[in-house]
Coordinates of all heavy atoms in Angstrom, one line a residue:
M5 N -12.1 -147.4 -21.0 CA -10.8 -146.9 -20.6 C -10.9 -145.5 -20.3 O -11.6 -144.7 -21.0 CB -9.8 -147.3 -21.7 CG -8.4 -146.8 -21.4 SD -7.3 -147.4 -22.6 CE -5.8 -147.1 -21.8
G6 N -10.1 -145.0 -19.3 CA -10.0 -143.6 -19.1 C -8.9 -142.9 -19.7 O -8.2 -143.5 -20.6
T7 N -8.6 -141.7 -19.3 CA -7.5 -140.9 -19.9 C -6.4 -140.5 -18.9 O -5.5 -139.9 -19.3 CB -8.2 -139.6 -20.5 OG1 -8.8 -138.8 -19.5 CG2 -9.1 -139.8 -21.6
K8 N -6.5 -141.1 -17.7 CA -5.5 -140.9 -16.7 C -4.5 -142.0 -16.6 O -4.9 -143.2 -16.6 CB -6.2 -140.7 -15.3 CG -5.3 -140.1 -14.3 CD -6.1 -139.8 -13.0 CE -5.3 -138.8 -12.1 NZ -6.1 -138.4 -11.0
L9 N -3.3 -141.6 -16.7 CA -2.2 -142.6 -16.7 C -1.4 -142.5 -15.4 O -1.2 -141.5 -14.8 CB -1.2 -142.3 -17.8 CG -1.7 -142.3 -19.2 CD1 -0.7 -141.8 -20.2 CD2 -2.0 -143.9 -19.5
F10 N -1.0 -143.7 -14.9 CA 0.0 -143.8 -13.8 C 1.3 -143.9 -14.4 O 1.6 -144.5 -15.4 CB -0.3 -145.2 -13.0 CG 0.8 -145.5 -12.1 CD1 0.8 -145.0 -10.8 CD2 1.8 -146.4 -12.5 CE1 1.9 -145.2 -9.9 CE2 2.8 -146.7 -11.6 CZ 2.8 -146.1 -10.3
V11 N 2.2 -143.0 -13.9 CA 3.6 -143.0 -14.4 C 4.5 -143.3 -13.2 O 4.6 -142.5 -12.2 CB 4.0 -141.7 -15.0 CG1 5.4 -141.7 -15.5 CG2 3.0 -141.3 -16.1
G12 N 5.2 -144.5 -13.2 CA 6.0 -144.9 -12.1 C 7.5 -145.0 -12.5 O 7.8 -144.9 -13.6
N13 N 8.2 -145.2 -11.4 CA 9.7 -145.4 -11.5 C 10.3 -144.1 -12.0 O 11.3 -144.1 -12.7 CB 10.1 -146.5 -12.4 CG 11.5 -147.0 -12.1 OD1 12.0 -146.9 -11.0 ND2 12.2 -147.5 -13.2
L14 N 9.8 -143.0 -11.5 CA 10.4 -141.7 -11.8 C 11.6 -141.3 -11.1 O 11.7 -141.5 -9.8 CB 9.3 -140.5 -11.5 CG 8.1 -140.5 -12.4 CD1 7.1 -139.4 -11.8 CD2 8.5 -140.2 -13.9
S15 N 12.6 -140.8 -11.7 CA 13.7 -140.2 -10.9 C 13.2 -139.0 -10.2 O 12.3 -138.4 -10.5 CB 14.8 -139.7 -12.0 OG 15.7 -138.9 -11.4
F16 N 13.9 -138.8 -9.0 CA 13.5 -137.7 -8.1 C 13.8 -136.4 -8.8 O 13.3 -135.3 -8.3 CB 14.1 -137.8 -6.7 CG 13.7 -139.0 -6.0 CD1 14.6 -139.8 -5.2 CD2 12.3 -139.3 -5.9 CE1 14.2 -141.0 -4.6 CE2 12.0 -140.5 -5.2 CZ 12.8 -141.3 -4.5
E17 N 14.5 -136.4 -9.8 CA 14.9 -135.1 -10.5 C 13.9 -134.7 -11.5 O 13.9 -133.6 -12.1 CB 16.2 -135.3 -11.3 CG 17.4 -135.7 -10.3 CD 18.6 -136.1 -11.1 OE1 18.6 -136.0 -12.4 OE2 19.6 -136.6 -10.5
V18 N 12.9 -135.6 -11.9 CA 11.9 -135.3 -12.9 C 10.9 -134.3 -12.4 O 10.4 -134.4 -11.2 CB 11.2 -136.6 -13.3 CG1 10.0 -136.3 -14.3 CG2 12.2 -137.5 -14.0
T19 N 10.6 -133.3 -13.2 CA 9.6 -132.3 -12.7 C 8.2 -132.5 -13.5 O 8.2 -133.3 -14.5 CB 10.1 -130.8 -13.0 OG1 10.2 -130.7 -14.5 CG2 11.5 -130.6 -12.4
E20 N 7.3 -131.9 -13.1 CA 6.0 -131.9 -13.8 C 6.1 -131.4 -15.2 O 5.5 -131.9 -16.1 CB 4.9 -131.2 -13.0 CG 4.5 -131.9 -11.7 CD 3.4 -131.3 -10.9 OE1 3.0 -130.1 -11.1 OE2 2.9 -131.9 -10.0
N21 N 6.9 -130.4 -15.4 CA 7.2 -129.8 -16.8 C 7.9 -130.9 -17.6 O 7.6 -131.0 -18.8 CB 8.0 -128.5 -16.7 CG 7.2 -127.4 -16.2 OD1 6.0 -127.3 -16.3 ND2 7.9 -126.4 -15.6
D22 N 8.8 -131.6 -17.1 CA 9.5 -132.7 -17.8 C 8.4 -133.7 -18.4 O 8.5 -134.1 -19.5 CB 10.5 -133.4 -17.0 CG 11.7 -132.6 -16.6 OD1 12.0 -131.7 -17.3 OD2 12.3 -132.9 -15.5
L23 N 7.5 -134.1 -17.5 CA 6.5 -135.1 -17.8 C 5.6 -134.5 -18.9 O 5.2 -135.1 -19.9 CB 5.7 -135.6 -16.7 CG 6.4 -136.6 -15.8 CD1 5.4 -137.0 -14.7 CD2 6.8 -137.8 -16.6
Q24 N 5.2 -133.2 -18.7 CA 4.3 -132.5 -19.6 C 4.9 -132.5 -21.0 O 4.2 -132.9 -22.0 CB 4.0 -131.1 -19.2 CG 3.2 -130.2 -20.2 CD 1.8 -129.9 -19.7 OE1 1.5 -130.0 -18.6 NE2 1.0 -129.5 -20.6
D25 N 6.1 -132.1 -21.1 CA 6.9 -132.0 -22.4 C 7.0 -133.4 -23.0 O 6.8 -133.5 -24.2 CB 8.3 -131.4 -22.2 CG 8.3 -130.0 -21.8 OD1 7.3 -129.3 -21.9 OD2 9.3 -129.5 -21.3
L26 N 7.3 -134.4 -22.3 CA 7.4 -135.8 -22.7 C 6.0 -136.3 -23.3 O 5.9 -136.7 -24.5 CB 7.9 -136.7 -21.7 CG 8.0 -138.2 -22.2 CD1 9.2 -138.3 -23.2 CD2 8.4 -139.1 -21.0
F27 N 5.0 -136.2 -22.5 CA 3.7 -136.8 -22.9 C 3.0 -136.0 -24.0 O 2.2 -136.6 -24.7 CB 2.9 -137.0 -21.6 CG 3.2 -138.2 -20.9 CD1 4.3 -138.3 -20.0 CD2 2.5 -139.4 -21.1 CE1 4.7 -139.4 -19.4 CE2 2.9 -140.6 -20.4 CZ 3.9 -140.6 -19.6
E28 N 3.4 -134.8 -24.2 CA 2.7 -134.0 -25.2 C 3.1 -134.5 -26.6 O 2.5 -134.2 -27.6 CB 3.1 -132.5 -25.1 CG 2.2 -131.8 -24.1 CD 2.5 -130.3 -24.0 OE1 3.7 -129.8 -24.3 OE2 1.7 -129.6 -23.4
Q29 N 4.2 -135.3 -26.7 CA 4.5 -135.9 -27.9 C 3.5 -137.0 -28.4 O 3.4 -137.3 -29.6 CB 5.9 -136.7 -27.8 CG 7.1 -135.8 -27.5 CD 8.4 -136.6 -27.2 OE1 8.6 -137.7 -27.8 NE2 9.2 -136.0 -26.3
A30 N 2.7 -137.4 -27.5 CA 1.6 -138.4 -27.8 C 0.2 -137.7 -28.0 O -0.6 -138.2 -28.6 CB 1.4 -139.4 -26.6
G31 N 0.1 -136.4 -27.5 CA -1.1 -135.7 -27.7 C -1.2 -134.6 -26.6 O -0.5 -134.6 -25.7
P32 N -2.4 -133.9 -26.6 CA -2.6 -132.9 -25.7 C -2.7 -133.4 -24.3 O -3.3 -134.5 -24.0 CB -3.9 -132.2 -26.1 CG -4.1 -132.6 -27.5 CD -3.4 -133.9 -27.7
V33 N -2.0 -132.8 -23.3 CA -2.0 -133.2 -21.9 C -2.9 -132.3 -21.1 O -2.8 -131.0 -21.1 CB -0.6 -133.1 -21.3 CG1 -0.6 -133.4 -19.8 CG2 0.4 -134.2 -22.1
S34 N -3.9 -132.9 -20.3 CA -4.9 -132.1 -19.5 C -4.2 -131.7 -18.2 O -4.4 -130.6 -17.7 CB -6.1 -132.9 -19.3 OG -6.7 -133.3 -20.5
S35 N -3.5 -132.6 -17.6 CA -2.9 -132.3 -16.3 C -1.7 -133.2 -16.0 O -1.7 -134.4 -16.5 CB -4.0 -132.4 -15.2 OG -4.4 -133.8 -15.0
V36 N -0.8 -132.9 -15.1 CA 0.3 -133.5 -14.6 C 0.4 -133.4 -13.2 O 0.3 -132.2 -12.6 CB 1.6 -133.2 -15.3 CG1 2.8 -133.9 -14.8 CG2 1.5 -133.3 -16.8
N37 N 0.6 -134.5 -12.4 CA 0.7 -134.4 -10.9 C 1.7 -135.4 -10.4 O 1.5 -136.6 -10.6 CB -0.6 -134.6 -10.3 CG -0.6 -134.3 -8.8 OD1 0.3 -133.8 -8.3 ND2 -1.6 -134.8 -8.2
I38 N 2.9 -134.9 -10.0 CA 3.9 -135.8 -9.4 C 3.6 -135.9 -7.8 O 3.5 -134.8 -7.2 CB 5.3 -135.3 -9.6 CG1 5.6 -135.5 -11.1 CG2 6.3 -136.1 -8.7 CD1 7.0 -135.0 -11.5
M39 N 3.4 -137.1 -7.3 CA 3.0 -137.2 -5.9 C 4.2 -136.9 -5.0 O 5.4 -137.3 -5.3 CB 2.5 -138.6 -5.6 CG 1.3 -139.0 -6.5 SD 0.1 -137.8 -6.6 CE -0.6 -137.9 -4.9
Q40 N 4.0 -136.2 -3.9 CA 5.1 -135.9 -2.9 C 4.7 -136.4 -1.5 O 3.7 -136.5 -1.2 CB 5.3 -134.4 -2.9 CG 5.7 -133.8 -4.2 CD 6.1 -132.4 -4.2 OE1 5.8 -131.7 -3.3 NE2 6.7 -131.9 -5.2
D41 N 5.8 -136.7 -0.9 CA 5.8 -137.2 0.6 C 5.2 -136.0 1.4 O 5.8 -134.9 1.3 CB 7.1 -137.6 1.1 CG 7.0 -138.2 2.4 OD1 7.0 -137.4 3.4 OD2 6.9 -139.5 2.5
R42 N 4.2 -136.3 2.2 CA 3.6 -135.2 3.0 C 4.6 -134.7 4.0 O 4.7 -133.5 4.3 CB 2.3 -135.7 3.7 CG 1.2 -135.9 2.8 CD 0.0 -136.3 3.5 NE -1.1 -136.7 2.6 CZ -2.2 -137.3 2.9 NH1 -2.4 -137.6 4.2 NH2 -3.1 -137.6 2.0
A43 N 5.4 -135.6 4.6 CA 6.3 -135.2 5.7 C 7.5 -134.4 5.2 O 7.9 -133.4 5.8 CB 6.7 -136.3 6.5
T44 N 8.1 -134.9 4.1 CA 9.3 -134.3 3.6 C 9.1 -133.3 2.4 O 10.1 -132.4 2.2 CB 10.3 -135.3 3.2 OG1 9.8 -136.0 2.1 CG2 10.5 -136.2 4.4
G45 N 8.1 -133.5 1.7 CA 7.8 -132.7 0.5 C 8.7 -133.2 -0.7 O 8.6 -132.6 -1.8
R46 N 9.4 -134.2 -0.6 CA 10.2 -134.8 -1.6 C 9.3 -135.7 -2.5 O 8.3 -136.3 -2.1 CB 11.3 -135.7 -1.1 CG 12.3 -134.9 -0.3 CD 13.5 -135.7 0.1 NE 14.1 -136.4 -1.0 CZ 14.8 -137.4 -1.0 NH1 15.1 -137.9 0.3 NH2 15.4 -138.0 -2.0
P47 N 9.6 -135.7 -3.8 CA 8.8 -136.6 -4.7 C 8.8 -138.1 -4.3 O 9.8 -138.6 -3.6 CB 9.6 -136.5 -6.1 CG 10.4 -135.3 -5.9 CD 10.7 -135.1 -4.5
R48 N 7.8 -138.8 -4.6 CA 7.7 -140.2 -4.2 C 8.0 -141.2 -5.2 O 8.0 -142.4 -5.1 CB 6.2 -140.5 -3.7 CG 6.0 -139.7 -2.3 CD 4.6 -140.0 -1.8 NE 4.5 -141.4 -1.5 CZ 3.3 -142.0 -1.3 NH1 2.2 -141.3 -1.4 NH2 3.2 -143.3 -1.0
G49 N 8.3 -140.6 -6.4 CA 8.8 -141.5 -7.5 C 7.7 -142.0 -8.4 O 7.9 -142.8 -9.3
F50 N 6.5 -141.4 -8.3 CA 5.4 -141.7 -9.2 C 4.5 -140.5 -9.4 O 4.5 -139.6 -8.6 CB 4.6 -142.9 -8.8 CG 3.8 -142.7 -7.6 CD1 2.4 -142.4 -7.8 CD2 4.2 -142.9 -6.4 CE1 1.7 -142.3 -6.6 CE2 3.5 -142.7 -5.3 CZ 2.2 -142.4 -5.4
G51 N 3.7 -140.5 -10.4 CA 2.8 -139.4 -10.7 C 1.6 -139.8 -11.6 O 1.5 -141.0 -12.0
F52 N 0.9 -138.9 -12.0 CA -0.3 -139.1 -12.9 C -0.3 -138.1 -14.0 O 0.0 -136.9 -13.8 CB -1.6 -139.1 -12.1 CG -1.6 -140.2 -11.0 CD1 -1.3 -139.8 -9.8 CD2 -2.1 -141.4 -11.4 CE1 -1.3 -140.8 -8.7 CE2 -2.1 -142.4 -10.4 CZ -1.7 -142.1 -9.1
V53 N -0.6 -138.6 -15.2 CA -0.7 -137.7 -16.4 C -2.1 -137.9 -16.9 O -2.5 -139.1 -17.2 CB 0.4 -138.0 -17.4 CG1 0.2 -137.2 -18.7 CG2 1.8 -137.7 -16.8
E54 N -2.8 -136.9 -17.2 CA -4.1 -137.0 -17.8 C -4.0 -136.5 -19.2 O -3.6 -135.4 -19.5 CB -5.2 -136.3 -17.0 CG -6.6 -136.6 -17.5 CD -7.6 -136.1 -16.5 OE1 -7.3 -135.5 -15.5 OE2 -8.8 -136.3 -16.8
M55 N -4.4 -137.4 -20.1 CA -4.4 -137.1 -21.6 C -5.8 -136.6 -22.0 O -6.7 -136.9 -21.4 CB -4.0 -138.3 -22.4 CG -2.6 -138.9 -22.0 SD -1.2 -137.8 -22.3 CE -1.1 -137.7 -24.0
A56 N -5.8 -135.9 -23.2 CA -7.1 -135.3 -23.6 C -8.1 -136.4 -24.1 O -9.3 -136.2 -23.9 CB -6.8 -134.2 -24.7
T57 N -7.6 -137.4 -24.8 CA -8.4 -138.4 -25.3 C -8.0 -139.8 -25.0 O -6.8 -140.0 -24.7 CB -8.6 -138.3 -26.9 OG1 -7.3 -138.7 -27.5 CG2 -8.9 -136.9 -27.3
E58 N -8.8 -140.8 -25.1 CA -8.4 -142.2 -24.9 C -7.4 -142.6 -26.0 O -6.5 -143.4 -25.6 CB -9.7 -143.1 -24.9 CG -10.5 -143.0 -23.7 CD -11.6 -144.0 -23.6 OE1 -11.5 -145.1 -24.1 OE2 -12.6 -143.7 -23.0
E59 N -7.6 -142.2 -27.1 CA -6.6 -142.5 -28.2 C -5.3 -142.0 -27.8 O -4.3 -142.7 -28.0 CB -7.1 -141.8 -29.5 CG -6.2 -142.2 -30.7 CD -6.6 -141.6 -32.0 OE1 -7.9 -141.5 -32.2 OE2 -5.8 -141.1 -32.8
D60 N -5.1 -140.7 -27.3 CA -3.8 -140.3 -26.9 C -3.3 -141.1 -25.7 O -2.1 -141.2 -25.6 CB -3.9 -138.8 -26.6 CG -4.3 -137.9 -27.8 OD1 -4.0 -138.3 -28.9 OD2 -4.8 -136.8 -27.6
T61 N -4.2 -141.5 -24.8 CA -3.8 -142.3 -23.7 C -3.2 -143.6 -24.1 O -2.1 -143.9 -23.7 CB -5.0 -142.6 -22.8 OG1 -5.6 -141.4 -22.4 CG2 -4.7 -143.4 -21.6
N62 N -3.8 -144.3 -25.1 CA -3.2 -145.6 -25.6 C -1.9 -145.3 -26.3 O -1.0 -146.1 -26.1 CB -4.2 -146.2 -26.6 CG -5.4 -146.7 -25.8 OD1 -5.4 -147.1 -24.7 ND2 -6.5 -146.7 -26.5
K63 N -1.8 -144.2 -27.0 CA -0.6 -143.9 -27.8 C 0.6 -143.6 -26.7 O 1.7 -144.0 -26.9 CB -0.8 -142.7 -28.6 CG 0.3 -142.3 -29.5 CD -0.1 -141.0 -30.4 CE 1.1 -140.7 -31.4 NZ 0.7 -139.5 -32.1
A64 N 0.2 -142.9 -25.6 CA 1.3 -142.6 -24.6 C 1.7 -143.8 -23.9 O 3.0 -144.0 -23.7 CB 0.7 -141.6 -23.6
I65 N 0.9 -144.8 -23.7 CA 1.3 -146.0 -23.1 C 2.3 -146.8 -23.9 O 3.4 -147.2 -23.6 CB 0.1 -146.9 -22.7 CG1 -0.7 -146.3 -21.6 CG2 0.5 -148.3 -22.4 CD1 -2.1 -147.0 -21.4
S66 N 1.9 -146.9 -25.2 CA 2.8 -147.6 -26.2 C 4.1 -146.9 -26.4 O 5.1 -147.5 -26.6 CB 2.1 -147.8 -27.5 OG 1.8 -146.7 -28.2
M67 N 4.1 -145.5 -26.4 CA 5.3 -144.8 -26.6 C 6.3 -144.7 -25.5 O 7.5 -144.8 -25.7 CB 5.0 -143.3 -27.0 CG 4.4 -143.1 -28.4 SD 3.9 -141.4 -28.8 CE 5.5 -140.6 -28.8
F68 N 5.7 -144.7 -24.3 CA 6.5 -144.3 -23.1 C 6.7 -145.4 -22.0 O 7.6 -145.3 -21.2 CB 6.0 -143.1 -22.4 CG 6.0 -141.9 -23.3 CD1 4.7 -141.2 -23.5 CD2 7.0 -141.5 -24.1 CE1 4.6 -140.2 -24.4 CE2 6.9 -140.4 -25.0 CZ 5.7 -139.8 -25.1
N69 N 6.0 -146.5 -22.1 CA 6.1 -147.6 -21.1 C 7.5 -148.2 -21.4 O 7.8 -148.7 -22.5 CB 5.1 -148.6 -21.2 CG 5.1 -149.6 -20.0 OD1 5.4 -149.3 -18.9 ND2 4.9 -150.8 -20.4
G70 N 8.4 -148.1 -20.5 CA 9.8 -148.7 -20.6 C 10.8 -147.7 -21.1 O 12.0 -148.0 -21.2
K71 N 10.4 -146.5 -21.5 CA 11.2 -145.5 -22.0 C 12.1 -144.9 -20.9 O 11.6 -144.7 -19.8 CB 10.4 -144.4 -22.7 CG 11.3 -143.3 -23.3 CD 10.5 -142.3 -24.0 CE 11.3 -141.1 -24.5 NZ 12.2 -141.4 -25.5
D72 N 13.3 -144.7 -21.2 CA 14.3 -144.1 -20.3 C 14.1 -142.6 -20.1 O 14.0 -141.9 -21.1 CB 15.8 -144.4 -20.7 CG 16.7 -143.9 -19.7 OD1 17.1 -142.7 -19.7 OD2 17.2 -144.7 -18.9
L73 N 13.9 -142.2 -18.9 CA 13.8 -140.7 -18.6 C 14.7 -140.4 -17.4 O 14.4 -140.9 -16.3 CB 12.4 -140.3 -18.3 CG 12.1 -138.8 -18.0 CD1 12.5 -138.0 -19.2 CD2 10.7 -138.6 -17.6
K74 N 15.7 -139.7 -17.6 CA 16.7 -139.3 -16.6 C 17.3 -140.5 -15.9 O 17.4 -140.6 -14.7 CB 16.2 -138.3 -15.7 CG 15.8 -137.0 -16.4 CD 15.7 -135.9 -15.4 CE 15.3 -134.6 -16.2 NZ 15.4 -133.4 -15.4
G75 N 17.6 -141.6 -16.7 CA 18.2 -142.8 -16.2 C 17.3 -143.8 -15.5 O 17.8 -144.8 -15.0
R76 N 16.0 -143.7 -15.7 CA 15.1 -144.6 -15.1 C 14.1 -145.1 -16.2 O 13.6 -144.3 -17.0 CB 14.3 -144.0 -14.0 CG 15.0 -143.4 -12.9 CD 15.6 -144.4 -11.9 NE 14.8 -145.2 -11.2 CZ 14.3 -144.9 -9.9 NH1 14.6 -143.8 -9.3 NH2 13.5 -145.8 -9.3
A77 N 13.8 -146.4 -16.3 CA 12.8 -146.9 -17.2 C 11.4 -146.6 -16.7 O 11.0 -147.2 -15.6 CB 13.1 -148.4 -17.5
L78 N 10.6 -145.8 -17.3 CA 9.3 -145.5 -16.9 C 8.3 -146.7 -16.9 O 8.4 -147.6 -17.8 CB 8.7 -144.4 -17.8 CG 9.4 -143.1 -17.8 CD1 8.7 -142.1 -18.7 CD2 9.5 -142.4 -16.4
T79 N 7.4 -146.7 -16.0 CA 6.3 -147.7 -16.0 C 5.1 -146.7 -16.2 O 4.8 -145.8 -15.5 CB 6.1 -148.3 -14.6 OG1 7.3 -149.0 -14.3 CG2 4.9 -149.2 -14.6
V80 N 4.4 -147.0 -17.4 CA 3.3 -146.2 -17.8 C 2.0 -147.2 -18.0 O 2.2 -148.1 -18.9 CB 3.6 -145.4 -19.0 CG1 2.4 -144.5 -19.5 CG2 4.7 -144.5 -18.8
N81 N 1.0 -147.0 -17.4 CA -0.2 -147.8 -17.6 C -1.4 -146.9 -17.2 O -1.3 -145.9 -16.5 CB -0.2 -149.1 -17.0 CG 0.2 -149.1 -15.5 OD1 -0.3 -148.3 -14.7 ND2 1.1 -149.9 -15.0
E82 N -2.6 -147.5 -17.5 CA -3.8 -146.8 -17.1 C -4.0 -146.8 -15.6 O -3.7 -147.7 -14.9 CB -5.0 -147.5 -17.7 CG -6.4 -146.8 -17.4 CD -7.6 -147.5 -18.0 OE1 -7.4 -148.5 -18.6 OE2 -8.6 -147.1 -17.8
A83 N -4.3 -145.6 -15.1 CA -4.4 -145.4 -13.6 C -5.7 -146.1 -13.2 O -6.7 -146.0 -13.8 CB -4.5 -143.9 -13.3
R84 N -5.6 -146.9 -12.1 CA -6.8 -147.5 -11.5 C -7.4 -146.6 -10.5 O -6.7 -145.8 -9.9 CB -6.3 -148.9 -10.9 CG -5.9 -149.9 -11.9 CD -5.6 -151.2 -11.3 NE -4.6 -151.2 -10.2 CZ -3.3 -151.5 -10.4 NH1 -2.9 -151.8 -11.7 NH2 -2.5 -151.5 -9.5
P85 N -8.7 -146.8 -10.2 CA -9.3 -145.9 -9.1 C -8.6 -146.2 -7.8 O -8.2 -147.3 -7.5 CB -10.7 -146.4 -9.0 CG -11.0 -147.0 -10.4 CD -9.6 -147.6 -10.9
R86 N -8.5 -145.2 -7.0 CA -7.8 -145.3 -5.7 C -8.6 -146.2 -4.8 O -9.8 -146.1 -4.7 CB -7.7 -144.0 -5.0 CG -6.9 -144.0 -3.8 CD -6.8 -142.6 -3.3 NE -6.0 -142.5 -2.0 CZ -5.5 -141.5 -1.4 NH1 -5.8 -140.4 -2.0 NH2 -4.9 -141.6 -0.3
E87 N -7.9 -147.2 -4.2 CA -8.6 -148.1 -3.3 C -8.9 -147.4 -2.0 O -8.1 -146.7 -1.5 CB -7.7 -149.4 -3.0 CG -7.5 -150.3 -4.2 CD -6.7 -151.5 -3.9 OE1 -6.5 -151.7 -2.7 OE2 -6.2 -152.1 -4.9
E88 N -10.2 -147.7 -1.5 CA -10.6 -147.1 -0.2 C -9.8 -147.9 0.9 O -9.6 -149.1 0.9 CB -12.1 -147.3 0.1 CG -12.9 -146.5 -0.9 CD -12.7 -145.0 -0.6 OE1 -12.6 -144.6 0.5 OE2 -12.6 -144.2 -1.7
R89 N -9.2 -147.0 1.8 CA -8.5 -147.6 3.0 C -9.4 -147.4 4.2 O -10.1 -146.5 4.3 CB -7.2 -146.9 3.2 CG -6.2 -147.0 2.0 CD -5.0 -146.3 2.3 NE -4.1 -146.5 1.0 CZ -3.1 -145.6 0.9 NH1 -2.8 -144.8 1.8 NH2 -2.4 -145.8 -0.2
P90 N -9.2 -148.4 5.1 CA -9.9 -148.2 6.4 C -9.5 -146.9 7.1 O -8.4 -146.5 7.2 CB -9.6 -149.4 7.3 CG -8.7 -150.2 6.5 CD -8.4 -149.6 5.2
G91 N -10.5 -146.1 7.5 CA -10.3 -144.9 8.1 C -9.9 -144.9 9.6 O -10.0 -146.0 10.2
G92 N -9.5 -143.8 10.2 CA -9.3 -143.7 11.6 C -8.0 -144.3 12.0 O -7.3 -145.0 11.2
G93 N -7.6 -144.0 13.2 CA -6.4 -144.6 13.8 C -5.2 -144.0 13.2 O -5.2 -143.5 12.1
S94 N -4.1 -144.1 13.8 CA -2.8 -143.6 13.3 C -1.9 -144.7 12.9 O -0.7 -144.4 12.7 CB -2.1 -142.7 14.3 OG -1.9 -143.4 15.6
G95 N -2.4 -145.9 12.9 CA -1.5 -147.0 12.6 C -0.6 -147.4 13.6 O -0.8 -146.9 14.8
G96 N 0.5 -148.1 13.4 CA 1.4 -148.6 14.4 C 0.8 -149.6 15.3 O -0.4 -149.9 15.3
G97 N 1.6 -150.3 16.1 CA 1.2 -151.3 16.9 C 0.9 -150.8 18.3 O 1.2 -149.7 18.7
H98 N 0.3 -151.7 19.1 CA 0.0 -151.4 20.4 C 1.2 -151.6 21.3 O 1.9 -152.6 21.2 CB -1.1 -152.3 21.0 CG -1.4 -152.1 22.4 ND1 -2.0 -150.9 22.9 CD2 -1.2 -152.9 23.5 CE1 -2.1 -151.0 24.3 NE2 -1.7 -152.2 24.6
R99 N 1.6 -150.6 22.2 CA 2.8 -150.8 22.8 C 2.6 -151.2 24.3 O 3.6 -151.1 25.0 CB 3.6 -149.5 22.8 CG 4.2 -149.3 21.5 CD 5.4 -148.4 21.6 NE 6.3 -148.6 20.5 CZ 7.2 -147.8 20.1 NH1 7.3 -146.6 20.7 NH2 8.0 -148.0 19.2
G100 N 1.5 -151.2 24.9 CA 1.4 -151.7 26.2 C 2.2 -151.0 27.2 O 3.0 -150.1 26.8
G101 N 2.3 -151.4 28.4 CA 3.1 -150.8 29.4 C 4.5 -151.3 29.3 O 4.9 -152.2 28.6
R102 N 5.4 -150.7 30.2 CA 6.7 -151.1 30.3 C 6.8 -152.5 30.9 O 6.1 -152.8 31.8 CB 7.6 -150.2 31.1 CG 7.6 -148.8 30.6 CD 8.8 -148.7 29.7 NE 8.9 -147.3 29.2 CZ 9.4 -147.0 28.1 NH1 10.0 -147.9 27.3 NH2 9.5 -145.8 27.7
G103 N 7.6 -153.4 30.3 CA 7.7 -154.7 30.7 C 8.2 -154.8 32.2 O 9.1 -154.0 32.6
G104 N 7.7 -155.8 32.9 CA 8.3 -156.0 34.3 C 9.5 -156.9 34.2 O 10.3 -156.8 33.3
G105 N 9.5 -157.9 35.0 CA 10.6 -158.8 35.0 C 11.9 -158.2 35.6 O 12.0 -157.1 35.7
G106 N 12.8 -159.1 35.9 CA 14.0 -158.7 36.4 C 13.9 -158.2 37.8 O 13.0 -157.5 38.2
Y107 N 14.9 -158.6 38.6 CA 14.9 -158.2 40.1 C 15.7 -157.0 40.2 O 16.8 -156.9 39.7 CB 15.5 -159.4 40.9 CG 15.7 -159.1 42.3 CD1 14.5 -159.0 43.1 CD2 16.9 -158.8 42.8 CE1 14.7 -158.7 44.5 CE2 17.1 -158.5 44.2 CZ 16.0 -158.5 45.0 OH 16.1 -158.2 46.3
R108 N 15.1 -155.9 40.9 CA 15.8 -154.7 41.0 C 16.2 -154.4 42.5 O 16.5 -153.2 42.8 CB 14.9 -153.6 40.5 CG 14.7 -153.7 39.0 CD 13.8 -152.6 38.5 NE 14.7 -151.6 37.9 CZ 14.2 -150.7 37.1 NH1 13.0 -150.7 36.8 NH2 15.0 -149.8 36.7
G109 N 16.1 -155.4 43.3 CA 16.4 -155.1 44.7 C 17.9 -155.0 44.9 O 18.7 -155.2 44.0
G110 N 18.2 -154.6 46.0 CA 19.7 -154.4 46.4 C 19.9 -154.0 47.7 O 18.9 -153.8 48.5
R111 N 21.0 -153.8 48.2 CA 21.3 -153.3 49.5 C 21.6 -151.9 49.6 O 21.9 -151.1 48.9 CB 22.5 -154.0 50.0 CG 22.1 -155.5 50.2 CD 23.3 -156.0 50.9 NE 22.8 -157.4 51.4 CZ 23.5 -158.2 52.0 NH1 24.8 -157.9 52.3 NH2 23.1 -159.4 52.3

C-alpha cells in the first residue's frame, strides 16, 4: 500500500490548506494537490493528499471517507497509478465535408 490518497467529491470552495488542516488530524501530511481544469483554472472537484506513513494513510481513510467537508461527503481511498492513455490526436470525431443533397437551382 502507498501513502497517496485520492480525495473526491470536493466542494469547489475547498482549498489545499483546508485539506492539509483536515488530514493532519490523522498524521503528518507530505503534500496536497487539488486538480484544476486546464482551460478555466477552476477546481475539478478532486485532489490528492500524500501522508507521511502507510499507518497514517489507513487512519486518514477510516477517519475521512464519508466525512462532510463544506457540505459534501468526501470520498477518500488509496490513489491508484494513473492509467496510460493513448497519445496523439486532439480527440473529437471526423467531420468530413459539408453535406450535399438538396436542390439549389432556381430562376
Side-chain angles (χ1 to χ4, degrees):
M5 178 171 195
T7 58
K8 194 168 194 177
L9 295 168
F10 167 83
V11 183
N13 200 33
L14 292 174
S15 164
F16 295 136
E17 300 168 9
V18 172
T19 67
E20 290 180 350
N21 286 338
D22 293 334
L23 284 183
Q24 173 114 16
D25 292 345
L26 179 68
F27 279 80
E28 281 181 342
Q29 295 174 35
V33 173
S34 301
S35 68
V36 176
N37 188 13
I38 293 178
M39 305 310 291
Q40 297 188 345
D41 185 276
R42 289 182 188 171
T44 65
R46 293 185 57 201
R48 295 182 61 196
F50 72 94
F52 298 94
V53 174
E54 190 167 0
M55 303 298 292
T57 67
E58 287 188 29
E59 182 180 323
D60 294 337
T61 302
N62 291 331
K63 186 176 177 183
I65 291 171
S66 65
M67 286 177 70
F68 304 124
N69 189 39
K71 180 175 176 68
D72 185 275
L73 179 63
K74 296 197 179 192
R76 306 284 296 266
L78 298 179
T79 299
V80 180
N81 51 45
E82 183 181 359
R84 295 187 297 265
R86 186 174 180 171
E87 292 181 13
E88 290 298 319
R89 296 183 185 160
S94 60
H98 175 68
R99 282 206 160 160
R102 298 269 183 208
Y107 176 71
R108 295 179 97 160
R111 294 188 166 178

